[in-house]
Amino acid sequence: MPSKPSDITMDAVYTKPGYLFRRMQQIAVSIFVEECREFDLTPVQYAALVAIQNHPGIDATRLSAVIAFDRSTLGSVIERLEAKGHIERKPSAEDKRVKLLYLTKAGATQLRNILPSVDRAQARMLAPLKAADRKTLLALLGQLVDLNNEVSRVPLRAEDALEHLGRTG
Amino acid sequence: MPSKPSDITMDAVYTKPGYLFRRMQQIAVSIFVEECREFDLTPVQYAALVAIQNHPGIDATRLSAVIAFDRSTLGSVIERLEAKGHIERKPSAEDKRVKLLYLTKAGATQLRNILPSVDRAQARMLAPLKAADRKTLLALLGQLVDLNNEVSRVPLRAEDALEHLGRTG
DNA sequence: ATCAAATTGGCAGTATACTGTCAATCAAGA
DNA sequence: TCTTGATTGACAGTATACTGCCAATTTGAT
């Protein structure tokens, strides 16, 4: 091997978790969009629809906790879902600040119809690995995300963030 | 368990690779930015600096292949690195279309200085796992990214994309 | 009752990422 | 040579993600 201009080689990037996570995220989104093209839904929009169906009447702040994305980002996501007619925003009676989110009939239908494509996409992401390796990777990744939960700006606060709603559906 | 409004639960999101990859990417960027705050470099900008140091005189299109990001995105990344004084853009003598990229002295210094912080960040991302599990996860992730390389818009084309340059530094 | 603190949604600004388009330029073939 | 096709960098437009700020509102402490 000829000498490099310094001791820093591309391995300082390629073999590191940060690079691999970014690359895998790129690939995952690419596969999702390809499989779900006909439904015109992004991964984030899909996650939002699932969460709203599971928690009808949730507000934007709590939704951000349930799917772990930024409230600032969520505003535009909600706008787009509303523009597509998949969700409705209704003012709350008790708190004039909040707007409650509900799936429309069209949104529920869209969500039901997209599921097979989402499943195909999820399967394709891990398809190159052997079955045992897929299981191992998913398990380790699940652990790691869970153990690092508090690190990101918007930690996941699943169902327990919704206790005050006093209902599960 | 009380019944849900449908069969679609949040597990349709939480346990799937697409969600876990997105979440882990969020966490990884968050850790990187936190550790490297004083250097004012994002993960992408860091990768670009490393690549330019390893391939002085590379052009934007080839750089995008070497670090696997989109050429459209890369334009603004290069602009920012240039504005910070970390890199220089010089027109090519042979091809009037291309602009060759070089690290400035300041850029090289910045890159050298940030390395310990980057190492700390990379270590923190996997820190919650046991050593054996870290190794397993990295190996599987590396395999998966490699095997899915052609899927994304900008497949990684490491060194072999640069053969025509006729040099390694 | 009132004032301080927290919450909610919205906005501005920055930084990836992608699609698609375009003009300038270069390369290859008829 | 001339024309066709490919390449390069730039740009417009959309969609996450983040920081930080703000007004309206609600809640809690006094």
Side-chain angles (χ1 to χ4, degrees):
Chain A
M1 281 301 241
S3 66
K4 291 283 180 177
S6 84
D7 294 321
I8 309 170
T9 67
M10 287 310 293
D11 275 355
V13 174
Y14 293 156
T15 65
K16 297 304 194 302
Y19 175 79
L20 293 172
F21 290 137
R22 179 177 70 79
R23 193 80 186 93
M24 198 54 229
Q25 160 72 359
Q26 275 183 335
I27 291 166
V29 171
S30 179
I31 291 175
F32 187 103
V33 169
E34 197 178 313
E35 290 291 342
C36 303
R37 191 177 304 281
E38 58 179 310
F39 299 100
D40 187 33
L41 276 184
T42 67
V44 168
Q45 290 166 11
Y46 163 75
L49 285 189
V50 172
I52 294 172
Q53 175 167 74
N54 269 273
H55 306 290
I58 196 174
D59 62 85
T61 295
R62 251 159 283 276
L63 179 58
S64 91
V66 164
I67 47 185
F69 32 103
D70 200 87
R71 249 190 355 178
S72 298
T73 305
L74 198 54
S76 54
V77 175
I78 288 174
E79 249 176 37
R80 281 185 281 274
L81 285 176
E82 200 179 17
K84 289 179 190 173
H86 294 331
I87 65 171
E88 281 178 323
R89 249 192 293 202
K90 296 178 182 171
S92 164
E94 303 127 28
D95 191 330
K96 288 176 196 168
R97 293 170 305 177
V98 314
K99 296 178 181 174
L100 307 179
L101 303 172
Y102 297 92
L103 232 61
T104 61
K105 271 207 172 58
T109 301
Q110 184 81 341
L111 183 52
R112 205 168 44 242
N113 290 341
I114 201 180
L115 286 182
S117 299
V118 172
D119 286 345
R120 263 199 309 279
Q122 303 285 9
R124 264 187 64 194
M125 294 173 197
L126 301 182
L129 294 181
K130 285 177 294 186
D133 287 345
R134 287 200 283 269
K135 207 173 165 184
T136 303
L137 179 60
L138 265 189
L140 289 176
L141 204 56
Q143 277 178 50
L144 190 56
V145 165
D146 189 50
L147 293 168
N148 271 324
N149 189 40
E150 299 304 318
V151 170
S152 66
R153 185 188 185 189
V154 187
L156 177 65
R157 298 264 180 266
E159 321 293 330
D160 56 315
L162 303 161
E163 276 164 9
H164 77 290
L165 286 176
R167 58 179 157 117
T168 51
Chain B
M1 281 300 242
S3 66
K4 292 283 180 177
S6 84
D7 294 321
I8 309 169
T9 68
M10 287 311 291
D11 274 355
V13 174
Y14 294 156
T15 65
K16 295 304 193 302
Y19 175 79
L20 292 172
F21 290 137
R22 178 177 72 78
R23 192 81 185 91
M24 198 56 229
Q25 160 71 358
Q26 274 183 338
I27 291 165
V29 171
S30 179
I31 291 175
F32 187 104
V33 169
E34 198 178 312
E35 290 291 341
C36 303
R37 191 176 304 281
E38 58 180 308
F39 299 98
D40 188 31
L41 276 184
T42 66
V44 168
Q45 290 168 9
Y46 163 75
L49 285 188
V50 172
I52 294 172
Q53 176 166 74
N54 270 272
H55 306 290
I58 196 174
D59 63 86
T61 296
R62 252 158 282 276
L63 179 58
S64 90
V66 164
I67 45 183
F69 38 101
D70 200 86
R71 250 190 353 178
S72 299
T73 305
L74 196 55
S76 54
V77 176
I78 288 174
E79 250 176 39
R80 281 185 281 275
L81 286 175
E82 200 180 17
K84 289 179 192 175
H86 294 332
I87 66 171
E88 280 177 322
R89 251 191 294 202
K90 295 179 184 172
S92 164
E94 303 127 31
D95 191 330
K96 288 176 195 167
R97 292 169 306 178
V98 313
K99 296 180 181 173
L100 307 179
L101 303 172
Y102 297 92
L103 232 62
T104 61
K105 273 207 170 58
T109 301
Q110 184 82 341
L111 183 53
R112 205 168 45 244
N113 290 341
I114 201 179
L115 285 182
S117 300
V118 172
D119 285 346
R120 263 198 309 280
Q122 303 286 9
R124 264 187 65 195
M125 294 173 197
L126 302 183
L129 294 182
K130 284 177 294 187
D133 287 346
R134 288 199 282 270
K135 209 174 165 184
T136 304
L137 179 60
L138 265 190
L140 289 177
L141 205 55
Q143 277 179 51
L144 190 55
V145 165
D146 189 49
L147 294 169
N148 272 324
N149 189 39
E150 299 304 318
V151 171
S152 66
R153 184 187 186 189
V154 188
L156 178 65
R157 298 264 179 265
E159 322 292 331
D160 56 315
L162 304 163
E163 276 163 10
H164 79 289
L165 286 176
R167 56 181 159 115
T168 52

